[in-house]
């Protein structure tokens, strides 16, 4: 964030370079600030809210969403979208559960699931790139296809009894004091770190941003646009299958109807984190914060305890709205027409 | 140069788009160590020839030889890899990324696989310094800069590639005289190092100043290849437009236009200390009916910002604006248009064109916006207006239903100008209206502006070409460092006079 | 011939015809329409009638998408519309009268307009990205509908109300007539006035549109209000057809079907040029597809896979790249026609 601490630029610089430079970070910073504010509000409203474990539980309960949001960030940064992620999560869970039930080695199962997810994404990317069909449609078809394949595998829920998976479900990694996280959290945070590195330190990552800034410009600049566009969907597919494995660790079962609508949560997290759906602007750390915001909304609901299912929906919608409005308010000052 | 082999040799190149033969059997050669100007009217096929060479368009016919080998690049990336570096006519950079990234994107120096950001910055600063752009922060976001700076950044990017061939499609169209000189000195250095440079410009003085050889196209066909020293200006113009037309004489005539005294006319608009935080300050001037006010000033002096305030595109937060004697606060372009003000932006791609709509729809857009959605401009009127302005401004191709994004740059500009003329405004603000327009059309547009003013329309004229501003304006408002510093009547003042004002005052 | 191959509606129409013929192969009486008690009956009529809500919603969606937006909340709005009208009829002292039904419908329509205005406000005034702005209502909307019905399925018995979704007029189902009328009026309203072109302008280049004096804000707002209206009427059809309001399931996933219909019909999600006829064809393809699944006896497990494959095939055929291969039209090697996709 060196931009924020830089000395003020001389006045004669054209068109407020400095402000616009900051404006890039504004939505993400606003999200982080607001998350902290919400956490503080929770601490005031509910006893016991202000604890490290409540925060860590946000991570523990949302590992799969974090990973999904990371993959989605890549796609959205290029100006695309991936609606298939929820279904691919369910498909990954089904494949894993079915194969484990058939007595496969867990390592082989995980490898196969990750391969399937990545291939599924790459294929969608190829269709998008080669046939120039809109990502929304291709990935919507991907959503139907993956969900359909789940039913083909099994209509019923399959329980996972594999010792490795159950041990992952129960394992706790102790931190200072009584605080702990699950192994899933470590995996999710590693994914975030890798994504951050790739997006900011590699040519591939910068090409992702360039495509979002202007695809035809990126082509004329001689960048590897087609390859990058296919790869981002591959990455999203891979992240979906990682999320599927994490979800399996969490739920110890495979079920065709699992993770329905999760794609919207992932998209919401990414956008709440400050990424523009038109591409080119946004950060994975923002997406991580976006997931935490969605998580804290859930936590509020659970602390409230007595809400009927419809009030829960309304409150989630309202909190989402309040959040977006506040974010808008904070970024408005730095945004220029 | 006769002895060396050409780096680029294109033979019999043809490209057809639906309905247009953009190139028809064109030959073109480019030698190392020369500056080669590619000339022709708007829509002659210059940009298309460049895109054929660099792999943006597939060619229908012909051969391309680069460095002695037959090639046909499939993508711009391949052309770049074989040492051809290109600045396309429209700025093709990523507005969301920083200046330094735009310069080095795809070629960032790396250390152990990761981008070496410190090295990126060093290299960017190095090339920016060569273009005398040391004052630009390489970490600033590209979109925060004016079109002119963006153009320079695109040039910086092209120079950063150690290329054998450098192609510049209208690089000077938005630059000030100083920047042009700076660019030329860089071009000469590169030429002396043996780089082959292809240069497109509608400014003939620049062509004569910097080029060694030129190729003229007309309507997609080759007219001929000439040594610059052997073809005088008049000859060149007649080759470009295909007639022995006395265009130069017309130019002189426009130049000798002396302004009648218009101070007796009624006051249309008065700005007093108009300004906006972070934009421009202290803009004070008057515009009378039928008066042409020129805005002069260096790049980044606040010309465009002033225009945007007067048009309500940005809201003023200081000072006062009086229109026809009533004080007004313009809250949006709509409110300005309702008061009879029109504004043609310098940034035609982002702020002008509705790319996927036809020429006709683009032409009547402002008129239709004024009437509201319910009262559609009748089809017959649309046709009549479109035909009239396509003819008057010689817009080519003349089809009303061509998508505007398929027009050449200069022709797009004419459509945007016509969009406002159709609304018959009281005050027309033109930000760089002649950018990228060929010499014939430019004369035409200047004459048009004069005659509109003679009929009582006020014009605020902004151009990076000071000469043009002086030729056409009745009064000149000078801006410096985002402040207005002078308002002088244009009686026989010279470029030097204006430059002195700019240099002399301290803001 | 090649012009025909290039036309953007050729492939969707062909796909629709093929689907219908496929059905005919499996059920000989599929394409026949018979008259019974003065009413038209047959599979084709069923497709139209069941597709009417999707057609209506896709109609509103087309204009929203043309303005470079998207409306995810339509399913929820449909549910709310059904809920408020049924709740009103249910709790009114005269639950069977025409007047009650009319009032219920009016309330639902007003609710749809208001919810559309809400979406439009968030998008055009506050400037929230459309997908998120409408996601708020998509999430909260079903909750609101349940709040209205107190989580129950509200059944009503009112003949006038039932007529909207299940009644006949001049031998045709009323829902078809409503959809057709909406379609015709929208077509006239957007193409006879300048509205269509102005919406397209805003969708293609909002900045340039504003600088040309277009009131982009009002236009954007209008399309969302219109979409809300369409969704409300569709919601009335759905609930009237089953004479009940089901806050949870009414119009579930209809937003996806509607978006799919719009895109199959050749309108780009990046905004800009749209085709109402294309949307109609798209919606019919989707509805026929559902019918086909039953006719062919596709096992329920494989329904989604089947749907996915058909969608992909239709889109592949329609894609410009495939059309290029077929018609050998030359095109630039690079420079995609619309570089950016904004969902
Ligand atoms: N992508 C395209 N599709 C269809 N027609 C095109 C396309 N690009 C260019 N044209 C047409 O080809 C012709 C040549 O255009 P080109 O851009 O090469 O002109 P130019 O010489 O560069 O003109 P200018 O000086 O105005 O830039 C014009 O008639 C233009 O309308
Ligand atoms: Mg050109």
């Amino acid at each position: 964030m060196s931009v924020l601490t830089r000395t003020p630029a001389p006045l004669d610089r054209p068109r407020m370079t400095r402000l616009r430079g900051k404006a890039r970070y504004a939505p993400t910073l606003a999200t982080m600030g607001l998350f902290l504010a919400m956490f503080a509000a929770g601490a005031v409203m509910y006893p016991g809210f202000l604890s490290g474990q409540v925060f860590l539980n946000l991570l523990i309960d949302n590992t799969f969403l974090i990973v999904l949001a990371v993959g989605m960030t890549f796609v959205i940064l290029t100006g695309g979208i991936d609606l298939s992620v929820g279904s691919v999560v369910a498909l990954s869970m089904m494949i894993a559960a079915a194969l484990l039930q058939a007595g496969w080695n867990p390592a082989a199962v995980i490898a196969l699931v990750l391969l399937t997810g990545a291939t599924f994404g790459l294929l969608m990317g190829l269709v998008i790139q080669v046939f120039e069909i809109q990502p929304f449609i291709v990935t919507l078809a991907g959503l139907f296809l993956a969900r359909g394949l789940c039913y083909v595998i099994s209509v019923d829920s399959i329980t996972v009894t594999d010792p490795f998976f159950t041990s992952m479900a129960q394992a706790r990694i102790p931190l200072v004091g009584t605080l702990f996280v699950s192994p899933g959290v470590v995996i999710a945070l590693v994914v975030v770190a890798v994504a951050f590195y790739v997006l900011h330190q590699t040519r591939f990552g910068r090409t992702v941003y360039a495509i979002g800034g202007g695809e035809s410009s990126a082509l004329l600049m001689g960048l590897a646009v087609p390859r990058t566009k296919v790869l981002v969907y591959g990455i999203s597919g891979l992240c979906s299958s990682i999320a599927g494995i994490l979800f399996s660790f969490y739920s110890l079962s495979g079920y065709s109807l699992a993770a329905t609508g999760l794609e919207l949560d992932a998209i919401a997290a990414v956008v709440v984190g400050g990424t523009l759906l038109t591409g080119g602007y946004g950060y994975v750390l923002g997406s991580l914060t976006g997931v935490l915001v969605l998580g804290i909304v859930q936590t509020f609901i659970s602390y409230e305890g007595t809400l009927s299912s419809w009030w829960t929906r309304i409150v989630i919608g309202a909190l989402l709205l309040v959040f977006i409005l506040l974010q808008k308010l904070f970024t408005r000052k730095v945004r220029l027409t | 140069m006769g002895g060396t082999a050409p780096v680029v040799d294109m033979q019999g190149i043809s490209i057809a788009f639906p309905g247009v033969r953009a190139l028809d059997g064109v030959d073109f050669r480019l030698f190392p160590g020369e500056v080669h100007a590619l000339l022709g009217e708007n829509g002659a096929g210059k940009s298309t020839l460049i895109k054929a060479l660099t792999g943006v368009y597939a060619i229908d016919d012909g051969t391309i030889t680069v460095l002695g080998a037959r090639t046909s690049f499939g993508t711009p990336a391949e052309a770049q890899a074989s040492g051809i570096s290109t600045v396309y006519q429209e700025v093709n950079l990523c507005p969301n990324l920083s200046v330094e990234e735009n310069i080095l994107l795809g070629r960032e120096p790396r250390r152990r696989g990761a981008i070496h950001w410190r090295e990126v910055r060093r290299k960017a600063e190095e090339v920016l310094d060569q273009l005398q752009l040391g004052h630009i922060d390489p970490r600033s976001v590209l979109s925060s800069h004016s079109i002119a700076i963006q153009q320079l950044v695109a040039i910086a990017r092209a120079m950063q590639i150690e290329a054998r061939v450098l192609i510049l499609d209208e690089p000077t169209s938005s630059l000030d005289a100083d920047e042009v000189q700076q660019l030329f000195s860089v071009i000469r250095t590169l030429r002396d190092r043996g780089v082959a440079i292809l240069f497109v410009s509608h400014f003939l003085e620049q062509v004569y100043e910097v080029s060694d050889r030129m190729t003229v196209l007309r309507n997609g066909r080759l007219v001929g290849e000439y040594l610059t020293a052997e073809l005088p200006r008049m000859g060149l113009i007649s080759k470009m437009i295909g007639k022995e037309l006395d265009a130069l004489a017309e130019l002189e005539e426009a130049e000798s236009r002396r302004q009648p005294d218009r101070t007796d006319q009624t006051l249309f608009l008065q700005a007093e200390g108009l300004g906006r935080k972070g934009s421009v300050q202290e803009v004070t001037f008057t515009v009378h009916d039928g008066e042409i006010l020129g805005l002069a000033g260096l790049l980044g002096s606040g010309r465009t910002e002033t225009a945007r305030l007067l048009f309500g595109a940005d809201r003023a937060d200081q000072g006062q604006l009086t229109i026809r004697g009533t004080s007004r606060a313009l809250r949006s372009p709509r409110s300005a248009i309702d008061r009879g003000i029109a504004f043609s932006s310098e940034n035609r791609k982002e702020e002008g064109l509705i790319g996927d709509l036809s020429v006709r729809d683009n032409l009547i857009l402002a008129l239709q916006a004024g009437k509201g959605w319910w009262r559609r401009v009748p089809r017959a009127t649309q046709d009549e207006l479109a035909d009239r302005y396509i003819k008057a401004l010689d817009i080519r191709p003349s089809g009303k239903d061509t998508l505007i994004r398929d027009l050449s740059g200069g022709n797009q500009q004419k459509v945007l100008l016509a969009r406002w003329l159709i609304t018959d405004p009281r005050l027309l603000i033109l930000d760089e209206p002649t950018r990228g327009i060929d010499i014939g059309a430019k004369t035409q547009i200047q004459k048009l502006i004069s005659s509109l003013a003679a009929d009582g329309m006020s014009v605020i004229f902004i151009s990076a070409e000071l000469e043009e501003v002086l030729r056409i304006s009745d009064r000149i408002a000078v801006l410096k460092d985002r402040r207005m510093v002078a308002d002088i009547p244009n009686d026989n003042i010279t470029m030097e006079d204006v430059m002195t004002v700019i240099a002399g005052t301290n803001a | 011939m090649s012009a025909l191959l290039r036309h953007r509606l050729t492939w969707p129409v062909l796909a629709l015809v093929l689907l219908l013929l496929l059905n005919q192969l499996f059920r000989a009486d599929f394409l026949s329409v018979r008259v019974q008690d003065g009413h038209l009956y047959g599979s084709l009529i069923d497709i139209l009638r069941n597709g009417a809500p999707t057609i209506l919603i896709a109609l509103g969606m087309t204009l929203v998408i043309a303005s470079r937006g998207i409306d995810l909340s339509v399913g929820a709005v449909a549910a709310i519309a059904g809920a408020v009208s049924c709740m009103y009829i249910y709790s009114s002292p005269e639950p069977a009268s025409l007047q009650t039904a009319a009032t219920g419908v009016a309330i639902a329509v007003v609710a749809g307009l208001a919810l559309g205005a809400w979406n439009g406000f968030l998008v055009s005034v506050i400037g929230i990205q459309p997908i998120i702005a409408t996601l708020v209502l998509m999430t909260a909307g079903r909750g609101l509908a349940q709040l209205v019905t107190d989580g129950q399925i509200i059944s009503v018995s009112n003949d006038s109300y039932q007529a909207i979704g299940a009644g006949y007029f001049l031998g045709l189902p009323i829902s078809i007539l409503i959809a057709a009328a909406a379609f015709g009026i929208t077509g006239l309203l957007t193409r006879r006035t300048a509205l269509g072109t102005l919406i397209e302008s805003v969708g293609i280049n909002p900045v340039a549109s504003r600088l040309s004096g277009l009131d982009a804000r009002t236009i954007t707002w209008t399309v969302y209000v219109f979409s809300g209206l369409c969704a409300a009427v569709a919601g009335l059809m759905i609930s009237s057809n089953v004479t009940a309001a089901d806050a949870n399931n009414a119009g579930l996933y209809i937003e996806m079907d509607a978006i799919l219909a719009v895109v199959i019909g050749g309108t780009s999600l990046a905004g800009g040029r749209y085709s109402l006829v294309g949307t109609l064809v798209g919606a019919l393809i989707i509805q026929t597809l559902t019918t086909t699944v039953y006719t062919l006896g596709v096992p329920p497990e494989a329904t989604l896979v089947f749907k996915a494959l058909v969608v992909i095939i239709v889109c592949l055929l329609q894609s410009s790249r495939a059309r290029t291969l077929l018609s050998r039209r030359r095109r630039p090697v690079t420079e995609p026609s619309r570089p950016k996709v904004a969902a």
Side-chain angles (χ1 to χ4, degrees), chain C residues 13-52:
Chain C
V13 169
L14 210 63
L16 180 59
V17 171
L18 280 178
L19 269 179
L20 290 173
L21 288 179
L22 187 69
N23 281 290
Q24 174 73 13
L25 269 184
F26 278 75
R27 253 186 43 205
D29 63 341
F30 186 82
L31 290 180
S32 65
V33 174
R34 54 198 168 17
V35 183
Q36 197 177 315
D37 309 334
H39 297 163
L40 291 177
Y41 280 101
S43 303
L44 288 183
I45 301 292
D46 284 345
I47 289 176
L48 282 174
R49 201 181 60 163
N50 295 333

Side-chain angles (χ1 to χ4, degrees), chain B residues 16-22 43 57 353-364 379 382-383 386-387 390 394-409 411-412 415-416 419, chain C residues 197 200 204 273:
Chain B
F17 294 112
V20 194
R21 261 197 104 71
Y57 293 146
L353 303 176
I354 312 287
D356 275 355
L357 291 187
S358 64
V359 168
R360 178 215 315 270
D361 288 338
N362 270 282
L363 275 173
I364 61 147
R379 190 68 175 202
Q382 291 187 15
D383 283 341
D387 283 334
I390 285 174
D394 191 19
I395 294 167
R396 278 180 257 173
S398 56
K400 297 187 278 282
D401 293 310
T402 321
L403 294 189
I404 196 171
R405 74 172 137 89
D406 291 340
L407 256 53
S408 79
N411 283 305
Q412 292 176 340
V415 172
L416 296 183
R419 176 189 289 172
Chain C
T197 315
E200 289 176 340
I204 296 166
R273 312 211 83 157

Side-chain angles (χ1 to χ4, degrees), chain B residues 17-18 20-23 40-49 51 57 89 169-170 200 202 217 348 396-397 402 405-412 436-438, chain C residues 332 335:
Chain B
F17 294 112
V20 194
R21 261 197 104 71
L23 289 177
E41 294 185 278
N42 295 132
K46 305 178 293 291
S47 301
T48 308
L49 186 70
K51 289 183 174 170
Y57 293 146
Q89 186 172 4
D169 194 351
E170 297 199 30
V200 178
H202 288 295
L217 300 181
R348 65 172 169 247
R396 278 180 257 173
T402 321
R405 74 172 137 89
D406 291 340
L407 256 53
S408 79
N411 283 305
Q412 292 176 340
I437 284 194
D438 67 51
Chain C
E335 291 213 327

Side-chain angles (χ1 to χ4, degrees), chain A residues 257 260-261 263, chain C residues 75 138 142 249-258:
Chain A
L257 278 175
T260 0
E263 57 279 349
Chain C
M138 181 192 190
R142 283 196 184 275
N249 295 310
L252 199 59
Y253 301 127
I254 204 167
E255 60 278 345
M256 289 300 175
D257 278 348

